[in-house]
Amino acid sequence: MDNWFINNETGRNEFQDARFYRDSRTGEMVPSVTTFLEAWPKGAAYHEWLKKHGADADEIRDEAGRRGSTVHNLTEQLDFGAEVRMCGEDGSPRYKMSEWAMLERYVDFRKAHAPRIIDIETNLVDSELGYAGTLDRVMELKDDVWIIDIKTSEKPWTPERIAIALAQLGAYAECTRWTYDVEVAGVGFVVALPDREAQVRLSGPKSFTVEDAVAAWHERRQQYREQQRSAR
């Protein structure tokens, strides 16, 4: 079985261990932000998780990916203005309770911050910068342009996972500014959890700045380059 496929709808070539986007202006294939970030060691918590779950790890990972895709699709429908229902016309549930609970966490975020949705699932590809990615949401918050990532998780994120997410947001902010000449005033993420309030991190004077996120991306990317050089 091939270990890669071409997604014509998104313009991505996806491999088992990497993802590349085609720059429509140059024809070049550009690695995704996650390709850089996922190459970095996962940390002690991840390896403890592997030890705990052993042979079930792949199944748990695949189920988490399926659940994440389902919740993402629901949030997209909601932000496109569609009506989303838990049950079908016959009264049978369309989704698992955990999936619906995660959607409700995103609804709570929308109620709290009242964003205006500017764009959904936006592909960013720039061969000059040398990376690409997909923005979950471009939103208007407080009359400014923000980039928001939507994530799902069974448990609250660890500091290590949060650090990776901030670097990812920094990459998206830099690429948006560079490619579209749009000033990104803020970035953040919403981690939808099934049994508690969402884990929300937004840039601001008491948390972190967009420039902090961009600097975190530059640091991670430099680490990746050094790792690649040492592996040769």
Side-chain angles (χ1 to χ4, degrees):
M1 184 176 66
D2 291 338
N3 66 345
W4 63 280
F5 68 94
I6 299 173
N7 188 327
N8 291 316
E9 184 177 344
T10 62
R12 298 195 299 237
N13 285 11
E14 303 193 16
F15 297 76
Q16 286 183 349
D17 59 350
R19 178 181 295 170
F20 291 80
Y21 294 66
R22 183 179 299 279
D23 189 330
S24 60
R25 296 166 299 178
T26 65
E28 293 182 56
M29 298 305 298
V30 183
S32 70
V33 171
T34 53
T35 297
F36 288 99
L37 296 177
E38 289 175 2
W40 194 246
K42 302 294 192 297
Y46 175 76
H47 294 291
E48 285 299 319
W49 181 85
L50 285 180
K51 288 179 183 178
K52 178 180 178 181
H53 295 288
D56 296 328
D58 286 347
E59 184 178 343
I60 295 171
R61 179 205 60 199
D62 292 345
E63 171 59 20
R66 187 206 61 76
R67 182 186 62 227
S69 295
T70 297
V71 176
H72 261 269
N73 289 336
L74 285 168
T75 64
E76 287 175 30
Q77 292 178 49
L78 193 68
D79 284 342
F80 276 123
E83 184 178 11
V84 180
R85 293 178 177 271
M86 171 64 176
C87 298
E89 293 182 1
D90 62 354
S92 61
R94 294 173 172 173
Y95 310 102
K96 295 180 179 180
M97 289 300 298
S98 61
E99 295 166 351
W100 194 256
M102 289 176 174
L103 174 64
E104 290 178 335
R105 303 293 85 76
Y106 179 64
V107 171
D108 291 342
F109 169 80
R110 293 203 339 166
K111 288 179 179 178
H113 297 279
R116 183 178 73 84
I117 306 300
I118 298 174
D119 213 346
I120 298 172
E121 290 289 307
T122 305
N123 276 3
L124 286 175
V125 187
D126 197 297
S127 54
E128 189 171 349
L129 282 178
Y131 65 87
T134 301
L135 311 185
D136 288 345
R137 297 293 185 278
V138 181
M139 296 179 170
E140 184 180 290
L141 294 173
K142 305 173 185 177
D143 299 321
D144 291 319
V145 174
W146 282 63
I147 292 172
I148 300 294
D149 228 14
I150 303 166
K151 307 290 189 181
T152 60
S153 180
E154 282 290 332
K155 297 180 180 180
W157 276 1
T158 62
E160 291 85 359
R161 186 64 188 86
I162 290 173
I164 292 172
L166 294 183
Q168 184 176 4
L169 288 167
Y172 292 163
E174 179 182 61
C175 198
T176 301
R177 290 169 170 175
W178 179 270
T179 307
Y180 296 107
D181 194 26
V182 172
E183 181 55 37
V184 178
V187 296
F189 61 78
V190 181
V191 183
L193 301 160
D195 58 355
R196 66 194 79 189
E197 291 183 0
Q199 196 173 11
V200 179
R201 293 289 186 277
L202 302 176
S203 59
K206 295 184 179 180
S207 52
F208 65 94
T209 67
V210 177
E211 300 312 321
D212 290 335
V214 172
W217 161 242
H218 288 171
E219 181 180 359
R220 291 272 176 169
R221 194 176 182 190
Q222 182 59 33
Q223 290 170 343
Y224 173 84
R225 289 168 175 158
E226 292 172 359
Q227 181 190 53
Q228 294 299 104
R229 282 196 293 268
S230 64
R232 292 173 184 170

